[in-house]
Amino acid sequence: MANQKKGGAVAAVGGFFKSVGGFLSDFGTAFVKGDVFVKLSAVWMGAGYARRRQYAKAVIMTALEAAVIAFTIVFAMQYVPKFGTLGTVTMERVFNMQTMKSEFNDYDNSFSILLFSLFSFVIWAAALVIWMKNIINVYRLQKMDEAGEHINTFREDLHSYIEDKFHITLLTLPVLGITVFTFVPILLLIFVAFTNYDQQHMPPSALFSWTGFTNFLSLFGGGGLTTTFSYAFVRVLGWTLVWAFFATFTTYIGGILLSLLLNSQKTRAPRFWRTLFIITIAVPQFVSLLLVRNFFSNGGIVNTICANIGLTGFLRNIGLVSTSYIPFLSAPGWAHVMIILINIWIGIPYQMLIATGVLMNLPADQLESARVDGAKPYQIFAKITMPYMLFVTGPALVTDFVKNINNFNVIYLLTEGVYTTTNQAMANSQAKEVDLLVTWLFRLTQDYYNYKMASAIGIIVFIICAVFTLFAFNRMIGNGREEDYQ
Amino acid sequence: MKKMKSNRTSRIIGHNVLIGVLAFIWLIPIVWLVCTSFSSYPGMNTSTFFPKEWSLIHYQKLFHPDTVQQFPRWFMNTFIIACFTTVISTSFVVMVAYATSVLRFPMRKPLMNMAVILNLFPGMLSMIAVYFVLKTFNLTNSYAGLIMVYSGSAGLGYLIAKGFFDTVPRALCEAARIDGCSEARIFWQIVIPMSRPILVYTVISSFLAPWMDFVFAKMILNAGISANYTVAIGLYKMLDKSLINSYFTIFCCGGVLVSVPISILFFIMQKFYVEGITGGAVKG
């Protein structure tokens, strides 16, 4: 599955540009070879249809064109011209002589300017595609007319949306959803990273403006005196990678071992045992993680037990603990190890499920012949089971690594409000030693309104994930060949 | 010979004991959750594993809301959000999966390639930007915003369902087409009825998303009033430092009550997921 999903990421980029090229050349041909009505369609989008007596379509296209023009004049022109500066008029209270009241002036809202300009760009891009597509369609109609073929009536056109154009009916809404809730936000994030949008520059009361690569510079150590972002960034990034590595591999190996253990012929009642393990992941994470965090809290039950059996005293004697309790989740080092251990608890049953599914399809004849040849169990594991698992779940392993880089839940639910950093430099940039890039970014936006840095961090996270994925997949597999399975 | 047999028996016992020990470790926190929920003491029990006194009083309190805890309300809120999300997400996923799997059209490959690239962006990141957008339209602290966040981009998660549709025999669709069946009818009357496992899987997994989610709910409903929270946010707020001593046991009760239906759905989904993957493979 994952194989198809990301296998062709490199080919995807290439394929995308190729089809764009094809579309452009179609458009060129249509425009150059079309008759006067096709050319007229470039100005009046309904022209070509009207000439071929598709009046309903002509009306629709004209209305669409009018709508885009109206949108441009009434809406877009308020924002797009200010896109270069992101607004110049700050909000002020002015006394209105007519109403005898203090009112706000006609101020600029930088964020609205940025967002709605972006919105206009997307609409215009869509309109441009429709406009080009329209010319191609009209040219096709012209050729059909010349060849004396039947031209669809409006009713037939409508009918085609449940026939050969059914994909348009199916895809319009989902694609719209993805555009609005994934595509535009990502663009917005990229733009915000190049501004100084933060608590001191919060619309509507203040303006923000373009600052170029300043935010990235301060992440990478050019920040000057006031910020310590580069210091925190290196540490948070380091822990993010360490965490992602351990979280992925411990649960992956553990999951395979557990599933081998459960599916062994020696196991009695395997379904019962499997159910017990699955219960752990069936409980929502916000319940189980919040619970575990209190289980291991400074005054919690585990600490009481450790104190009673003398473990706390022992650890204090050898110098691992300096407090009267064991700081499982509240001191650096301890918290890092505990988080990885707790993640093992949460992650292994999940990996066990996946591994069980894959191992069911393990070629049984290979195992059998290995056993006949006298291979030891660990030899079978190392030479047959693991290579097979790696072959099948390799792509999923890469996806898991990326997911762990962004594993917000585990870190946030375990440490937020429990772990307080004592490192002043980290605290200055609102980071903690146990933060991942995403939890740091979340805190920066939610509690400190530091959108500019959060966006810059977000872009860095994307680059790390994308480069890692592309690199790993390019080495592991080629393009997904979905047609082979049909 | 006899020695070998007893050797084998002890190996089997050792094997099962090992699994038992592991299962025991894995279940400790869950057992603690259930036990604590029956405690008569409202705060966290820090001295013993099992409560000193057992009682049902906190389950009763759970159904008598006060200013902090309004569990029945939260449960209803989450349920409503989950229902809307299920309808929208499921239809988006099925529509995209069907279009990319069964239909052939020029934009198919480019669109799928776009999806690959967009999927490289971690959802978490785009959601921070979605938050900006929702704030501009005043949709934060509203269910509409949350539902949109859960289901708006659902189309991107079409790959599992597509994998299933890929295994539906093409000959069936071809035959229907030759008999003059429209594409829409093939979709509704041939492929959809054959795809029960993957439909159930999609429905349950999109229904579970709002119940399991914490981040987006916190981001979008954070500033709202208690009565509007979802279960996740409500339970999280109960563990605030100032509240934990009087609400910890109620938190456990809420946790148990939420986990029971979710676990059941999770187990059903499990089964259908495996069926959706393997059942499809046999058919193809």
Side-chain angles (χ1 to χ4, degrees):
Chain A
M1 191 57 50
N3 177 332
Q4 283 178 23
K5 184 175 169 187
K6 293 194 177 165
V10 175
V13 183
F16 180 69
F17 284 112
K18 217 170 172 180
S19 52
V20 170
F23 181 71
L24 285 178
S25 82
D26 278 355
F27 168 74
T29 331
F31 190 75
V32 174
K33 292 194 180 163
D35 64 6
V36 65
F37 285 96
V38 174
K39 293 197 168 75
L40 188 60
S41 294
V43 186
W44 170 38
M45 282 169 74
Y49 294 117
R51 167 75 181 76
R52 316 288 165 211
R53 297 210 200 85
Q54 292 192 322
Y55 298 117
K57 251 186 168 175
V59 170
I60 291 174
M61 290 320 276
T62 313
L64 191 71
E65 191 179 352
V68 172
I69 291 171
F71 164 83
T72 306
I73 294 170
V74 175
F75 184 84
M77 278 307 132
Q78 291 178 38
Y79 300 104
V80 177
K82 297 173 186 163
F83 185 68
T85 56
L86 291 177
T88 44
V89 188
T90 321
M91 181 155 104
E92 273 166 8
R93 274 184 179 279
V94 282
F95 189 72
N96 188 329
M97 293 302 273
Q98 264 107 45
T99 56
M100 301 303 277
K101 270 181 194 154
S102 172
E103 289 174 349
F104 289 121
N105 61 341
D106 184 19
Y107 60 92
D108 287 334
N109 183 329
S110 299
F111 186 73
S112 301
I113 293 172
L114 182 60
L115 177 65
F116 292 131
S117 301
L118 205 58
F119 189 61
S120 309
F121 295 152
V122 172
I123 298 248
W124 285 338
L128 182 70
V129 171
I130 293 174
W131 178 75
M132 289 165 82
K133 187 82 187 150
N134 184 50
I135 289 189
I136 296 175
N137 283 345
V138 174
Y139 177 61
R140 214 181 49 224
L141 277 178
Q142 179 202 336
K143 291 190 94 174
M144 282 167 76
D145 199 26
E146 282 165 6
E149 287 171 39
H150 169 69
I151 290 174
N152 281 351
T153 61
F154 185 59
R155 181 182 283 268
E156 284 166 334
D157 266 333
L158 275 187
H159 188 69
S160 74
Y161 283 98
I162 60 166
E163 281 288 354
D164 55 328
K165 284 185 185 162
F166 188 46
H167 61 272
I168 297 181
T169 320
L170 285 180
L171 287 174
T172 307
L173 276 179
V175 168
L176 198 68
I178 293 167
T179 311
V180 174
F181 289 99
T182 302
F183 186 65
V184 172
I186 287 172
L187 283 185
L188 188 66
L189 190 78
I190 293 172
F191 280 115
V192 169
F194 296 97
T195 66
N196 58 359
Y197 185 13
D198 58 18
Q199 205 164 9
Q200 281 84 48
H201 303 88
M202 276 282 269
S205 56
L207 298 167
F208 61 82
S209 56
W210 299 110
T211 54
F213 283 92
T214 320
N215 302 326
F216 292 94
L217 278 181
S218 55
L219 263 192
F220 291 114
L225 296 170
T226 47
T227 58
T228 46
F229 269 98
S230 62
Y231 176 87
F233 176 68
V234 175
R235 272 150 196 78
V236 174
L237 178 66
W239 162 238
T240 305
L241 295 178
V242 169
W243 146 263
F245 178 80
F246 278 106
T248 311
F249 286 95
T250 50
T251 54
Y252 183 71
I253 304 283
I256 293 174
L257 289 178
L258 183 63
S259 98
L260 285 175
L261 203 64
L262 287 179
N263 293 312
S264 154
Q265 284 164 355
K266 287 182 263 179
T267 314
R268 297 287 170 263
R271 287 183 68 103
F272 166 73
W273 293 121
R274 193 152 48 226
T275 309
L276 284 189
F277 282 101
I278 295 176
I279 287 178
T280 336
I281 43 172
V283 175
Q285 284 197 341
F286 65 86
V287 174
S288 57
L289 288 175
L290 286 175
L291 191 83
V292 170
R293 136 176 159 184
N294 284 296
F295 201 57
F296 286 107
S297 67
N298 289 343
I301 173 97
V302 178
N303 256 312
T304 316
I305 294 172
C306 286
N308 286 347
I309 62 171
L311 188 65
T312 313
F314 172 72
L315 289 174
R316 206 169 29 233
N317 285 343
I318 61 171
L320 273 176
V321 171
S322 55
T323 39
S324 60
Y325 51 84
I326 304 177
F328 285 112
L329 286 169
S330 54
W334 278 98
H336 292 118
V337 175
M338 279 313 290
I339 288 171
I340 290 176
L341 286 180
I342 294 170
N343 183 65
I344 289 178
W345 176 69
I346 283 226
I348 280 188
Y350 187 69
Q351 293 289 347
M352 182 268 289
L353 270 181
I354 296 172
T356 307
V358 176
L359 288 176
M360 271 179 195
N361 299 327
L362 188 66
D365 47 339
Q366 279 193 24
L367 288 179
E368 197 50 46
S369 54
R371 222 170 277 137
V372 170
D373 290 348
K376 299 267 184 327
Y378 69 85
Q379 281 178 322
I380 295 180
F381 176 75
K383 294 275 159 60
I384 298 176
T385 314
M386 269 321 279
Y388 180 76
M389 275 303 289
L390 276 176
F391 174 72
V392 177
T393 57
L397 198 59
V398 177
T399 325
D400 279 349
F401 188 82
V402 171
K403 268 194 201 138
N404 275 323
I405 288 183
N406 300 297
N407 198 333
F408 180 87
N409 266 2
V410 172
I411 304 288
Y412 189 84
L413 291 176
L414 282 179
T415 61
E416 182 66 20
V418 175
Y419 187 99
T420 16
T421 183
T422 48
N423 185 333
Q424 198 51 44
M426 291 290 259
N428 277 346
S429 35
Q430 292 95 32
K432 296 174 187 173
E433 285 92 341
V434 288
D435 267 334
L436 299 185
L437 288 170
V438 279
T439 53
W440 185 25
L441 168 158
F442 184 79
R443 186 167 327 104
L444 284 176
T445 51
Q446 292 292 294
D447 302 342
Y448 298 95
Y449 309 106
N450 196 341
Y451 298 117
K452 54 171 191 178
M453 290 317 279
S455 303
I457 295 169
I459 289 175
I460 303 278
V461 174
F462 167 68
I463 291 173
I464 293 172
C465 295
V467 167
F468 175 80
T469 315
L470 293 177
F471 183 73
F473 273 111
N474 249 8
R475 299 208 52 171
M476 260 192 316
I477 39 168
N479 201 346
R481 293 247 172 83
E482 39 149 11
E483 304 274 350
D484 292 354
Y485 300 114
Q486 291 185 354
Chain B
M1 190 69 198
K2 205 179 171 191
K3 197 182 168 194
M4 243 182 94
K5 200 175 175 194
S6 73
N7 194 4
R8 197 178 133 73
T9 319
S10 63
R11 284 249 292 280
I12 289 179
I13 292 174
H15 185 91
N16 283 289
V17 166
L18 176 62
I19 295 178
V21 170
L22 284 177
F24 177 74
I25 296 173
W26 249 261
L27 285 179
I28 290 175
I30 308 296
V31 172
W32 193 58
L33 172 73
V34 177
C35 290
T36 312
S37 73
F38 288 107
S39 165
S40 62
Y41 173 64
M44 193 166 50
N45 188 352
T46 55
S47 51
T48 53
F49 186 85
F50 293 105
K52 290 185 192 102
E53 236 179 282
W54 301 76
S55 93
L56 280 171
I57 178 164
H58 291 103
Y59 278 97
Q60 285 164 5
K61 276 193 188 164
L62 198 63
F63 289 98
H64 294 96
D66 56 37
T67 47
V68 175
Q69 107 31 49
Q70 312 193 3
F71 189 76
R73 276 295 299 267
W74 299 339
F75 201 89
M76 273 315 290
N77 294 344
T78 321
F79 185 76
I80 294 168
I81 293 172
C83 286
F84 278 101
T85 308
T86 310
V87 174
I88 303 176
S89 301
T90 309
S91 29
F92 277 15
V93 168
V94 170
M95 280 150 81
V96 175
Y98 183 85
T100 50
S101 167
V102 178
L103 304 174
R104 288 291 176 274
F105 50 95
M107 280 304 280
R108 195 179 84 100
K109 275 274 160 175
L111 277 180
M112 285 169 66
N113 290 338
M114 274 300 279
V116 170
I117 298 168
L118 284 179
N119 264 330
L120 282 180
F121 271 97
M124 181 70 212
L125 299 184
S126 61
M127 282 315 152
I128 288 198
V130 169
Y131 176 77
F132 294 148
V133 179
L134 291 179
K135 217 168 84 176
T136 317
F137 291 108
N138 254 333
L139 282 169
T140 50
N141 295 315
S142 81
Y143 298 155
L146 198 57
I147 293 168
M148 285 178 194
V149 167
Y150 286 137
S151 50
S153 300
L156 279 178
Y158 68 101
L159 276 158
I160 291 181
K162 175 178 180 295
F164 184 87
F165 289 139
D166 280 347
T167 64
V168 172
R170 282 303 109 90
L172 266 180
C173 304
E174 286 307 323
R177 244 168 242 149
I178 291 167
D179 291 346
C181 188
S182 75
E183 289 292 340
R185 273 188 67 187
I186 297 179
F187 175 65
W188 276 114
Q189 298 186 342
I190 297 180
V191 179
I192 290 291
M194 284 180 66
S195 314
R196 208 175 74 109
I198 207 66
L199 284 183
V200 175
Y201 171 75
T202 315
V203 165
I204 297 185
S205 60
S206 41
F207 184 79
L208 283 185
W211 294 93
M212 300 278 219
D213 170 68
F214 170 79
V215 197
F216 301 142
K218 176 153 168 44
M219 204 142 126
I220 287 167
L221 298 181
N222 200 23
I225 55 167
S226 171
N228 292 336
Y229 289 158
T230 63
V231 173
I233 307 305
L235 291 182
Y236 178 79
K237 293 256 165 154
M238 271 194 213
L239 293 188
D240 203 79
K241 273 203 182 83
S242 54
L243 298 173
I244 190 166
N245 282 329
S246 36
Y247 283 98
F248 188 75
T249 308
I250 297 185
F251 164 83
C252 290
C253 298
V256 170
L257 287 188
V258 164
S259 303
V260 170
I262 290 183
S263 307
I264 293 170
L265 283 178
F266 193 84
F267 276 102
I268 299 175
M269 179 180 82
Q270 274 307 114
K271 204 180 121 236
F272 277 100
Y273 177 66
V274 173
E275 216 172 282
I277 301 296
T278 54
V282 174
K283 267 186 241 154

